[in-house]
Each structure stands twice: as C-alpha cells, then as structure tokens.
Amino acid sequence: MTRTFPPGFLWGAATAAYQIEGATAADGRGPSIWDTFSHTPGKVSGGDTGDVAADHYRGFREDVALMAELGLPAYRFSVSWPRVQPGGRGPANPRGLDHYDRLVDALLEHGIRPVLTLYHWDLPQELEDAGGWGARDTAARFAEYAVLVADRLGGRVPLWTTLNEPWCSAFLGYAAGVHAPGRTDPALALRAAHHLLLAHGLGTAALRAALPAGTQVSITLNLHAVEPASDTPAAADAVRRIDGLGNRLFLDPLLRGRYPADLLADTDEITDWGFVRSGDEPAIAAPIDVLGVNYYAPTLVDGGGTGPDGPSPWPGCADVRFVESTGPATAMGWPIDAGGLRALVHRVHTEYPGIPLMITENGAAFDDLVNSDGAVRDPERIAYLREHLAAVHDAIEAGVDLRGYFVWSLLDNFEWAYGYSKRFGIVHVDYATQRRVWKDSAHWYREVIRANGLKQ
Ligand code: FCB
C-alpha cells in the first residue's frame, strides 16, 4: 500500500537556536537563561552547555547545503533573541540579525522555505533578572523584538511562529525547575503561562502590522495526548485536569478567547489569576493562520497519586498519578505510540474547528553509533517516523486539515537538560570534529519527500 500525501504538503526538518548554534559570545550576543542554566553545576547532564553545540552559527552554509541534498522543501529554525537584542530591550544588534539574514538568503537560494520561530526558550538573561516571564513587561518586550526581526526578514519568510511550546517555558522552567530559569514556584508558572500567551498575542498583532500581507503567523504547542489508565471516575478527572493544564490552558484563550473555567477553579488555591487583565484574552485570541503541534508520546494518567517527590510541572495535580506504559520506548524513555498523534489532531480538528494544523516537531532519540563502515543504522527511528507519518496520513484522510510535517531534528543537538546524551537527529553529529553523517533515517526521509508519500 502506498500512502500519498496531498499536493503541497510541506515537508521539513526542525532545529532551535540554542540547541545547534554554539558561538554564544559571537557578534555581540548577550547571555540567555539557557547559558546561565547550563553553566550552573548540576542542571544539565554531563555539565554540557550550548557553547559550541553543533557549531551551526559558523557552519550554517554547509548545513543548508546538506538540507538541499536531503531535498528538504522547508526548514524550521529559531532566532536567538539575545543575538538580536543582547539585553532583551532597545535597538537591534545588527550583527545578530545579519546571521539570520544570511541564513534566510542561503535557504532561499536552495529553494528551501524558511519557517521562523521567534522564541524557542532562550530568553535574554537581563529580562529574566527583571522578572522573566513572571513579569508582564516581558510580553511587551517580546512584541518589540518580533518587530525588529520582522523589519529585517519580512517578505522573505512566509511563515512565522511566535513561541515554541509555551507549556515547557512556563511549567518546566518555572514550576518543575528542570529547564531554565530553574524556578520552582507553581503560582509563578501560571503567571508565566499567561504572560507567554500575552506575548504571543501582542507579538502576533505587531507582526501583522510589520509583515507584508499574506505572511502567515502561528504558534507551536506541545499538546498532550492524555489518556486514562483505567475506566474510573478518578482517571477521567485526572485526564480532565492534565488536559486543562497541558492543552486547554493554551488552546482555549488562543482559539476561543477565554481561559477554561474548570482550570481557573482547580487552581484557585494557587493563584487568583489577578494577572489576567481586561483585554488580555481578546489580545491572545488574535487570529492565527496555522497551529503548530509538536508530538512525541502520549500521557497516561489515573487517580490515586500521592504527589511527586520534588517540584512538579503540574500545579495542583498531586493526586494525579502518571502511569508508565510498558510498551516500546525511545532512548528518552518516552513510549512509542502513534495513536496518540492521530487522536490528538482529531480532537483539535473537532473541538477547535477551522484552524489548519502543522506537525512542527515529531521524532525520536536513540543511541546511534557510527559503524566502522561509516553508516549509522537507525531502524527504530525509521519505524517511529513511518508509524507517525502513517498517523498523519490517516488524519488527513479522515478530514483533518493538516498541512505539513517537520521531523525533529535535522541534526543531533543539545537536548536541554539531557545535554548531548540524547540524539534526535536524522543526521549524526560527531561533536569532537563537527562531522555530519547521514543516518539511515535521513536517506529514508529523502525518499519520503521525493515520493511525497510512504511506501509500505
Ligand atoms: C521539544 C522541544 C525541542 C526538542 C524536543 C525533543 O519539546 O521543542 O527543542 O528538545 O522536544
């Protein structure tokens, strides 16, 4: 059976600035919260930092040539805010913008469509020192930064994404403390979530004013495919609560213009939500053209939780039990289940109709090795990608308006708190030499793109 995707379906690969660029002190770049966090002992596995990463800032031309060889129609990358505004405010640092100017030109020269994310977690440290995402002002600063980038790159970048995965910024960064800035304050995390959403809304309005008509604006969410582990009312309530914090906290204000009432009630002992001012919800609901969805694994929950051992990314959910699934898993320990992706996009399509979707990240880490013959055999990754692409195809057949798919990731890179210990790339990176070696999955993906479909 051959699965052919619709004409114009957008194939791509994704990366993020801090994970691949390195050159953290080059051309006037200021420090970000991830520089501070990764340089704090004990925060990142192996003490790894993004100082050098995949050295893409210097080697971007070779990487773009590699993308061209792969036949990639689109490339999703992020702009480093502290390169553009070293302290997060004030005029642009032209040398920082120059890099993205050259990158976009190189992509266009090879016929690769640039898909630009403005914020993939690298907040300028000076803004964190002034309160970070806990401060309302950060949302206004983000909109100003967005305009600086739009003024330089507008007209050449057809699709802009404001934020990548605000759930992670808010709850891994400010509640669980496992991501920068490493805070563990549940009330602050909810406040941060609101200010991130507000930043998206203000940023979207600012982008619309600064960009040529017809430019698309989006946000990318890591939506959770939450499933009950048992057929009990407690499990159903656990699903409702995790869905509330993981999905509806973002989807509802973005697409319906208001926060979900049950979520506000569930969290009223943590915060009174007084940080939501009149006019904020309509601002957050500024129309978008596409919703980016990142999906890796489903989340299985039940009642009967006794609270986490340490700070949790799920404020007020101590009684929710996260159930480990017993099936196959990736090197992250994440269960492999493409059914979650199928269910998730279906659900968004039915409950939030009218918004085109794009899978902006999907992929898997495995412990890849370069063989003595120079090959990297990664059949598990190919199987993972194949299953998830089949799920995307099923969803399209069932009527879901799904416009594209970006594999995470083009290159092995700095996997946040896991450092370089986890490899998500379809291209292997030897960090000692910066040599790139195509994994089998890269060869496979090139054929998928070429055929615009999957051969079974
Ligand atoms: C996502 C992030 C991305 C990468 C993948 C594995 O949450 O957006 O940067 O780390 O997970």
Side-chain angles (χ1 to χ4, degrees), residues 225-290:
V226 197
E227 295 160 13
S230 70
D231 189 15
T232 60
D237 198 55
V239 169
R240 182 186 62 79
R241 306 256 300 285
I242 298 306
D243 179 54
L245 278 164
N247 298 328
R248 291 181 290 113
L249 166 59
F250 299 93
L251 290 170
D252 280 23
L254 286 166
L255 300 171
R256 294 180 178 165
R258 78 197 102 79
Y259 284 108
D262 65 323
L263 173 71
L264 301 186
D266 285 341
T267 51
D268 67 354
E269 283 180 12
I270 301 169
T271 174
D272 63 5
W273 291 79
F275 44 78
V276 181
R277 298 196 191 157
S278 113
D280 285 0
E281 284 160 302
I284 294 168
I288 49 173
D289 302 295
V290 179

Side-chain angles (χ1 to χ4, degrees), residues 19 120-121 164-165 168 294 296 334 361 408 415-416 424:
Q19 296 182 273
H120 200 127
W121 306 354
N164 176 71
E165 302 190 350
C168 293
N294 293 352
Y296 290 91
W334 297 347
E361 286 180 28
W408 183 272
E415 179 44 38
W416 308 113
F424 273 92

Side-chain angles (χ1 to χ4, degrees), residues 18-19 34 37-38 42-50 121 172 178-179 330-334 365 367 413-424 431:
Y18 190 71
Q19 296 182 273
W34 268 97
F37 190 77
S38 66
K43 298 297 186 194
V44 173
S45 161
D48 293 343
T49 72
W121 306 354
L172 300 180
V178 295
H179 277 188
T330 68
M332 300 294 283
W334 297 347
D367 298 328
N413 60 51
F414 176 81
E415 179 44 38
W416 308 113
Y418 295 88
Y420 298 101
S421 69
K422 302 295 174 201
R423 294 182 176 272
F424 273 92
Y431 294 107

Side-chain angles (χ1 to χ4, degrees), residues 298-311:
T299 307
L300 201 58
V301 296
D302 209 334
T306 50
D309 295 338

